[in-house]
Amino acid sequence: MPLSVDIITLGVPQVEAARAFYTSAFSATATDDDHTAGLDLHGTGRLALRQIDALATDSSTDPATLGFRGYVLSSIVNRPAEVKALLDAATAKGATVVKPARKQFFGEFTAVYQAPDGAVWKLTAASKKDTDPVPDPPKPIETAIYLGVAKPMASRAFYETLGMSVKHDYGDKFLDFAIADGVCRLGLLPRKALAKDAGVDEHGDGFSALVLTHIAASRDDVDALLAAADSAGGRVTAAAARTDRGDYAGHCTDPDGYHWRISTPG
């Protein structure tokens, strides 16, 4: 079973405040369980929120996070006016504008903001013109997570070993992977280039306050993916076992240190 980004979990200082922000910013629907505040991003993936110290403990890492976290979240909508509407909704709830909504040099219409919890979000319009009325609320047609890595082609080999298929390939400048319905897209860029595109300083260290979750079909798939990650240059940080959430899960990192949780229900 190929790896996929089924849930993006963010470590936040205050879970209830972060949930209130994201619920309002994306008109998202709650999908809470006993351990996380979860949100459904209109069928384009799921966002989960956990206290940052608890998330770091689960991932066997240092909870400190300073500066650029090494990733950018992205919400893709149909029209420029929807970018503006999402930016207005986010800033009304405390987000900080990093790049205002506008047409970029190559014609792309984007905006970037930093959420109150520290995560950086890029809003992008799939088309260049407003041809239809803006839906209320605007709904993303895709959610993506872009990781800043040392060498995208080396990271590509890791993710292909875990079953992912490349969609767009520009070598060590940019690449991303094909997705199925209901999950988030994963993209890879050099860290410096990703920070420049988002309009933030590239420097930062400590735990990224991010865990990507893949929900596997079986325990055998969990074990196989963890073994593949270990053999492909990643590191298993917690062996698969029954957890207090009632699932069977293990943790690993990719070659650049980004954390993954591989789990299956029951």
Side-chain angles (χ1 to χ4, degrees):
M1 183 178 183
L3 191 70
S4 57
V5 183
D6 298 308
I7 304 171
I8 296 173
T9 302
L10 300 179
V12 299
Q14 296 180 323
V15 171
E16 289 304 317
R19 174 164 53 182
F21 171 79
Y22 286 112
T23 299
S24 179
F26 291 109
S27 300
T29 303
T31 60
D32 297 3
D33 62 25
D34 291 338
H35 298 270
T36 63
L39 298 168
D40 179 2
L41 299 175
H42 301 284
T44 65
R46 291 163 59 192
L47 186 68
L49 308 167
R50 291 198 74 194
Q51 195 75 27
I52 187 169
D53 290 351
L55 186 65
T57 299
D58 273 1
S59 305
S60 303
T61 192
D62 184 343
T65 176
L66 298 171
F68 181 44
R69 297 177 177 179
Y71 65 88
V72 172
L73 296 151
S74 180
S75 185
I76 297 92
V77 291
N78 277 313
R79 309 166 189 85
E82 292 176 78
V83 170
K84 296 176 182 177
L86 286 177
L87 183 63
D88 288 345
T91 54
K93 294 300 180 179
T96 302
V97 175
V98 179
K99 283 187 174 183
R102 64 189 178 197
K103 191 176 185 179
Q104 303 302 316
F105 183 75
F106 292 106
E108 185 182 43
F109 194 93
T110 67
V112 178
Y113 69 78
Q114 186 171 38
D117 61 87
V120 175
W121 284 83
K122 181 177 181 179
L123 309 173
T124 302
S127 62
K128 299 177 182 179
K129 296 182 179 180
D130 291 312
T131 55
D132 297 300
V134 177
D136 185 20
K139 295 181 179 179
I141 57 175
E142 186 177 297
T143 299
I145 174 80
Y146 296 107
L147 304 180
V149 300
K151 294 182 179 180
M153 291 301 287
S155 294
R156 167 184 173 161
F158 171 84
Y159 284 107
E160 285 184 325
T161 299
L162 275 65
M164 300 187 84
S165 301
V166 170
K167 176 72 172 180
H168 303 101
D169 181 3
Y170 297 94
D172 272 327
K173 292 184 178 180
F174 168 78
L175 62 91
D176 64 9
F177 298 93
I179 59 170
D181 291 341
V183 301
C184 301
R185 188 178 298 280
L186 176 65
L188 306 173
L189 293 83
R191 180 186 175 96
K192 183 176 182 179
L194 179 61
K196 181 178 180 180
D197 180 70
V200 298
D201 188 284
E202 68 179 285
H203 298 95
D205 55 23
F207 177 45
S208 63
L210 172 76
V211 173
L212 304 177
T213 294
H214 169 74
I215 301 174
S218 67
R219 292 190 175 200
D220 286 344
D221 282 344
V222 171
D223 294 339
L225 283 169
L226 289 172
D230 188 57
S231 67
R235 181 171 64 92
V236 175
T237 58
R242 179 88 173 186
T243 76
D244 59 1
R245 301 189 197 188
D247 61 358
Y248 179 79
H251 288 254
C252 65
T253 61
D254 73 0
D256 292 275
Y258 292 104
H259 290 263
W260 282 83
R261 185 176 193 268
I262 314 297
S263 70
T264 192

